[in-house]
Amino acid sequence: MTTSRRLRMGTAALAAAGVLAFTACSGGESETDPGGGTDAGEVSGEGIDDGTTLTMWTRAPLERQAVNAVEAYNSSHENQVELEILPNDDVEGRVGAAAQTDALPDLLAGDVVRIPYWTSQGIFQDLSEQIQGLDTLDDLQVGHIDAGTIDGAQHTLPFVTDISVMVWNKDLYEQAGLDPEAGPTTIAEFTEHAEAVAGLGTDGVAGSYLSGQSGGALVFTLLPSIWASGDEPLSEDGTSANLDSGSALEVYEAYRGLAETENGLGAGSQQETGATWTAPFQEGNVGVMPYPYTAVTGLFETADFEIGVGPIPGVDGGESTFLGGDAIGISSDSENAPQAWNFMQWLMSEDAQQEVFADNNDTAANLAVLESGYEGADPRTAIANATVEHGRTPVAVHFNEAFNAAGSPWQLLIQDAVWGDASTISSHNEAINTILAQ
């Protein structure tokens, strides 16, 4: 099936074209329709492990977790996955180009907020029957499944679950006279702590940091505070935004106050595109900030300062997290769907979730493993895992254009709210609505 044909299809046709080509559960060769269609046949719960080489793409920010998963699978299965790590900024271009030439990999993992659009364009095969047959389905976090669900048809499963947490530099807290064991529990405490660290007047050290020109990093770090405050930044169907709510304005105002404070926000925050937004904290130069948990676990043993971890608070308390990371599906170009499903269903098992994620202090997608699989783990991992219960994943087909794309209205909203004309916030929210409602 060519991509031009794929893009001309309506949703119903896309769903039909994406039906997974499974063979009988007894194993054997795939019965791919030579005409490019598919033959559902009898569905195997475990797919096929017959020594097939599978191709797979994922994003560079989640390289460590992806490598752990692939190495664990390859060492225990006949099938072998060849993993290609794509620079984050290249993902859209590579997927778009591959879709044009029917050259998508067997397994494609992507930013969960981009999954609804990719699914709407027929990038993934329909896995509804296979997902519903998973023994562990009731224990899986649903955000990454919902992101790939269109008209009731499910296409994706969680791959790497990345959550946003509040982190703080305990050494700087102690120097600033703060309790290094107590992170902020309200937005007011967040600004209070950041201002105390800024007040140290240490060269290169700032109270907090913001990735001002990265729409993706901004939703990852700011939306949890709005959720925790009880507001909904997006409508349930993803076609409208509420980013000028009272709690949203209070969150923006907190960062604006820090931007107006000497050393309140790290140098470069306004221009930060997201390429290096985790580096200032990693280098010990930031007091407190929302941060990706997948990035902080690697610092526990290597940083030359002590790190605190807590949930991201709302204006008056509460807590939430952005259930981000990558979801994974089988591409519509794959001719190895049963083998690719063998990888996916294995990854959802409790044993794989334990080995790949829990044993490496990373966040499992299986809630049972989150509850019982971290005995002896770093206690900060338990704190981070507990936030998953309160986590959310925004789902909108046009999320990328509204939020993640360079120059998106969300990015412009934050630029004005923190550094510019804050009276324009509602007009930016309307611009977001226009895109989401397409």
Side-chain angles (χ1 to χ4, degrees):
M1 181 177 65
T2 65
T3 297
S4 58
R5 176 184 164 198
R6 176 188 301 136
L7 294 176
R8 286 198 298 270
M9 291 178 171
T11 303
L14 288 171
V19 173
L20 182 59
F22 271 94
T23 58
C25 58
S26 58
E29 295 183 357
S30 165
E31 297 177 358
T32 303
D33 184 332
T38 56
D39 178 6
E42 294 185 30
V43 176
S44 166
E46 296 184 354
I48 296 176
D49 181 21
D50 61 356
T52 295
T53 297
L54 298 165
T55 54
M56 176 176 168
W57 291 356
T58 192
R59 299 184 299 148
L62 303 177
E63 177 175 356
R64 181 172 62 82
Q65 292 80 8
V67 169
N68 288 342
V70 168
E71 288 184 348
Y73 180 80
N74 286 351
S75 67
S76 57
H77 291 75
E78 296 295 325
N79 294 338
Q80 296 293 289
V81 176
E82 291 185 348
L83 177 64
E84 184 174 355
I85 306 294
L86 305 182
N88 199 41
D89 291 342
D90 293 351
V91 172
E92 287 298 325
R94 286 289 302 275
V95 171
Q100 292 290 332
T101 56
D102 296 338
L104 290 165
D106 295 303
L107 291 157
L108 177 63
D111 191 333
V112 66
V113 299
R114 193 54 171 161
I115 293 298
Y117 178 75
W118 286 357
T119 305
S120 74
Q121 296 300 300
I123 293 293
F124 296 113
Q125 298 191 31
D126 185 344
L127 299 173
S128 299
E129 189 171 349
Q130 290 70 41
I131 291 174
Q132 288 301 312
L134 283 170
D135 292 338
T136 57
L137 179 61
D138 289 344
D139 288 327
L140 298 180
Q141 61 99 337
V142 299
H144 289 198
I145 299 174
D146 289 346
T149 300
I150 289 185
D151 294 337
Q154 297 169 316
H155 301 77
T156 58
L157 286 170
F159 179 45
V160 177
T161 302
D162 194 8
I163 57 176
S164 48
V165 294
M166 190 67 78
V167 298
W168 60 95
N169 183 321
K170 291 186 177 182
D171 293 14
L172 292 176
Y173 263 46
E174 193 162 14
Q175 293 173 33
L178 300 168
D179 181 354
E181 302 305 322
T185 59
T186 65
I187 290 299
E189 287 185 2
F190 166 71
T191 55
E192 175 188 337
H193 294 186
E195 288 171 352
V197 172
L200 292 172
T202 305
D203 285 346
V205 171
S208 189
Y209 195 84
L210 194 62
S211 186
Q213 297 201 38
S214 171
L218 290 168
V219 294
F220 191 69
T221 54
L222 300 183
L223 293 195
S225 286
I226 301 174
W227 285 318
S229 303
D231 277 337
E232 293 293 337
L234 288 183
S235 62
E236 187 173 353
D237 63 2
T239 60
S240 65
N242 182 31
L243 292 162
D244 54 358
S245 66
S247 60
L249 296 178
E250 291 194 59
V251 172
Y252 309 149
E253 184 61 29
Y255 282 93
R256 188 178 185 91
L258 291 176
E260 294 172 348
T261 300
E262 186 176 4
N263 301 322
L265 288 182
S269 286
Q270 186 175 4
Q271 295 78 31
E272 174 63 59
T273 62
T276 60
W277 75 282
T278 59
F281 182 83
Q282 179 179 346
E283 294 163 356
N285 295 324
V286 172
V288 57
M289 66 181 291
Y291 207 76
Y293 193 65
T294 54
V296 78
T297 54
L299 301 179
F300 290 163
E301 300 299 328
T302 60
D304 59 2
F305 59 94
E306 293 297 317
I307 298 171
V309 171
I312 296 177
V315 172
D316 297 317
E319 62 183 65
S320 189
T321 185
F322 192 109
L323 286 177
D326 283 9
I328 188 170
I330 300 173
S331 85
S332 53
D333 293 336
S334 176
E335 296 182 351
N336 301 304
Q339 292 82 357
W341 175 250
N342 184 261
F343 174 85
M344 290 179 63
Q345 63 81 30
W346 164 83
L347 190 60
M348 296 303 103
S349 69
E350 288 193 17
D351 287 346
Q353 290 284 313
Q354 179 71 44
E355 177 184 1
V356 174
F357 300 107
D359 290 350
N360 291 296
N361 272 324
D362 289 317
T363 304
N366 186 299
L367 302 182
V369 174
L370 281 177
E371 289 182 4
S372 60
Y374 289 81
E375 184 176 352
D378 189 294
R380 290 167 292 193
T381 297
I383 294 171
N385 288 346
T387 69
V388 173
E389 179 182 357
H390 307 286
R392 306 283 293 276
T393 301
V395 177
V397 170
H398 297 291
F399 190 93
N400 191 64
E401 297 88 338
F403 293 94
N404 284 18
S408 70
W410 162 244
Q411 181 185 318
L412 297 176
L413 184 155
I414 295 301
Q415 284 285 319
D416 275 342
V418 178
W419 293 282
D421 181 3
S423 69
T424 64
I425 290 173
S426 290
S427 63
H428 290 307
N429 187 71
E430 285 305 311
I432 293 172
N433 283 336
T434 299
I435 293 174
L436 293 178
Q438 292 179 89

